[in-house]
Amino acid sequence: MAIERLELKNFTVFEKLDVAWGPGINVLIGENGTGKTHIMKVLYSACQASSSKVSFSQKLVLTMFPDEYKLSRLIRRKQGNQSASIQVTASEEGRRRILSSEFHMKTRKWEAVVKGEEQWEREFGKLGSIFIPAKEILSNSYNLAAAVKKDNVRFDDVYLDIIDSAKVDVLPGRNTDDQNRKLREIERIVKGKVWYDSEKDEFYLKQGNSRWEFNLVAEGIRKMALLWQLVKNGALEKGTVLFWDEPEANLCPVHIPVLAELLLLLQRNGVQIFVATHDYMFAKYLEVKKQEKNHLCFHSFYREGGEVRHEMEECFDGLKSNPIVKAFDRLLDEIYDMGE
């Protein structure tokens, strides 16, 4: 499956948005508050709705987490706006399907008008999707789902889902050669392997004969260790859609080239990827290290006239609105000024 298009109307920060996505890696950039994470959560909710157990509108509420679980609170806050709509288009082997949702100010909780859900389920029922949030969560996995269920803590569904994905072995048995290649690359960074203690409901990092509680490991290492676990479990196989919010956060810059290479390898193996980033090195390494079989698109979201706009280029430096490059250029100017 490949997500092809997203159309939004009066949804959160967007008055009107129509984005065509590439089949490979889609890199989302933009200043804070331009809706990058909102976009990924909408697309993730649509992917999750391929399961007959999951409703698109309810999953949208559980990932976006509006007050009182009301979809109506996701309508863009502007006088006169009374309704919002979402439309996601995806295809597989030439068969295209559309999943849409409409809701208004009087919509009760997540009771939106959803169209195309049954066909979506039939066509993409075996679809896998993973959302890795910006904040590492495995170190807090113990009884988290139970605590959320009892309303003792508040975490949206992307955090609960990623913990479940890390625990469940989708492809039990021996690793494939491809899996082993990816795992070895990550092991070079984390200097070990992940181990899940099901009795304690805790994750550990095993380094030689030592076993470290996840909360004692640096967050950047924990994020890469999570990627190791997802590869080991078979959660990132061909046909999966991966969403990752700020993968470079808390990661030492020396490891960013390896991260870029891993994502490019996953994409060449049939994983469609959406990443949101503020990091120049990460974006450029994706571009520098891509191979002929890689498909890479850069999407910039920016404000103009009070509205969030969008542009797309296959070249990172080709984006006209690029806050990452602008910030980098300003830094270089200041460095040069110091030397004068």
Side-chain angles (χ1 to χ4, degrees):
M1 171 188 172
I3 298 172
E4 293 186 345
R5 196 171 211 92
L6 172 65
E7 298 173 57
L8 299 175
K9 184 178 180 181
N10 292 330
F11 182 80
T12 62
V13 300
F14 302 102
E15 179 180 35
K16 189 175 182 180
L17 183 72
D18 187 350
V19 181
W21 305 105
I25 299 179
N26 293 274
V27 184
L28 285 64
I29 71 167
E31 295 184 15
N32 294 329
T34 52
K36 302 183 297 299
T37 302
H38 288 187
I39 287 171
M40 293 203 299
K41 285 187 174 183
V42 169
L43 296 177
Y44 174 69
S45 298
C47 290
Q48 288 284 294
S50 63
S51 168
S52 59
K53 300 177 182 179
V54 179
S55 159
F56 177 40
S57 57
Q58 185 177 9
K59 192 66 176 181
L60 192 61
V61 164
L62 294 176
T63 56
M64 299 292 291
F65 237 39
D67 281 354
E68 299 176 353
Y69 303 100
K70 289 183 178 179
L71 263 176
S72 58
R73 293 195 58 79
L74 301 180
I75 297 174
R76 186 170 180 267
R77 310 294 169 84
K78 185 177 181 180
Q79 189 173 3
N81 285 348
Q82 296 295 316
S83 63
S85 64
I86 302 168
Q87 183 169 296
V88 183
T89 304
S91 67
E92 184 172 16
E93 297 180 351
R95 299 185 298 274
R96 184 171 284 105
R97 294 289 181 264
I98 295 175
L99 180 64
S100 65
S101 175
E102 297 181 8
F103 49 95
H104 50 76
M105 295 300 294
K106 294 184 179 180
T107 297
R108 297 180 59 189
K109 289 192 175 181
W110 49 74
E111 296 174 3
V113 176
V114 178
K115 297 180 181 179
E117 197 156 31
E118 291 184 5
Q119 287 184 323
W120 190 268
E121 292 172 5
R122 284 198 299 269
E123 196 66 54
F124 308 128
K126 296 181 180 180
L127 166 69
S129 54
I130 298 289
F131 192 115
I132 303 178
K135 178 67 176 176
E136 185 278 324
I137 193 64
L138 292 195
S139 56
N140 298 301
S141 64
Y142 175 71
N143 274 344
L144 183 63
V148 170
K149 189 174 183 179
K150 291 182 179 180
D151 221 14
N152 292 332
V153 294
R154 290 175 62 85
F155 280 93
D156 66 60
D157 257 19
V158 299
Y159 290 95
L160 302 180
D161 290 350
I162 194 60
I163 291 174
D164 289 341
S165 296
K167 291 178 181 178
V168 178
D169 198 345
V170 180
L171 296 175
R174 296 183 62 182
N175 298 336
T176 64
D177 291 340
D178 180 61
Q179 275 180 297
N180 283 327
R181 185 166 68 255
K182 297 171 191 170
L183 293 171
R184 285 194 295 269
E185 288 295 324
I186 304 172
E187 287 166 18
R188 285 170 46 197
I189 297 175
V190 303
K191 303 292 192 300
K193 302 178 181 181
V194 179
W195 180 62
Y196 172 60
D197 188 330
S198 58
E199 293 184 2
K200 292 184 176 181
D201 193 22
E202 295 276 10
F203 287 90
Y204 295 85
L205 182 64
K206 295 181 69 175
Q207 296 177 321
N209 295 323
S210 300
R211 189 179 71 180
W212 295 88
E213 297 90 326
F214 242 53
N215 61 291
L216 298 180
V217 179
E219 183 160 345
I221 297 298
R222 295 201 301 261
K223 293 182 75 171
M224 293 304 295
L226 167 60
L227 186 60
W228 186 95
Q229 184 72 355
L230 295 174
V231 171
K232 177 70 170 64
N233 285 359
L236 293 174
E237 295 297 301
K238 182 178 180 180
T240 304
V241 183
L242 170 63
F243 303 89
W244 199 343
D245 201 358
E246 299 184 28
E248 77 286 350
N250 298 308
L251 187 65
C252 178
V254 73
H255 299 314
I256 287 178
V258 178
L259 173 61
E261 288 178 339
L262 284 167
L263 292 180
L264 290 164
L265 176 60
L266 286 171
Q267 189 266 300
R268 290 196 297 274
N269 290 345
V271 178
Q272 188 181 23
I273 299 173
F274 295 80
V275 290
T277 185
H278 295 285
D279 190 81
Y280 179 85
M281 283 184 61
F282 175 63
K284 288 300 291 184
Y285 265 120
L286 285 172
E287 190 172 46
V288 168
K289 292 185 173 292
K290 74 174 183 177
Q291 299 179 11
E292 186 176 349
K293 293 183 179 180
N294 282 122
H295 192 285
L296 183 63
C297 289
F298 295 94
H299 301 265
S300 174
F301 298 88
Y302 60 96
R303 292 188 178 275
E304 183 178 80
E307 307 296 337
V308 176
R309 311 292 186 188
H310 165 262
E311 64 168 320
M312 185 275 287
E313 293 287 344
E314 293 186 4
C315 174
F316 180 64
D317 294 326
L319 293 169
K320 295 179 181 178
S321 179
N322 194 327
I324 297 175
V325 169
K326 288 179 181 178
F328 189 74
D329 287 344
R330 282 197 299 269
L331 173 60
L332 289 178
D333 287 342
E334 292 186 26
I335 292 173
Y336 293 147
D337 290 343
M338 289 174 61
E340 292 180 356

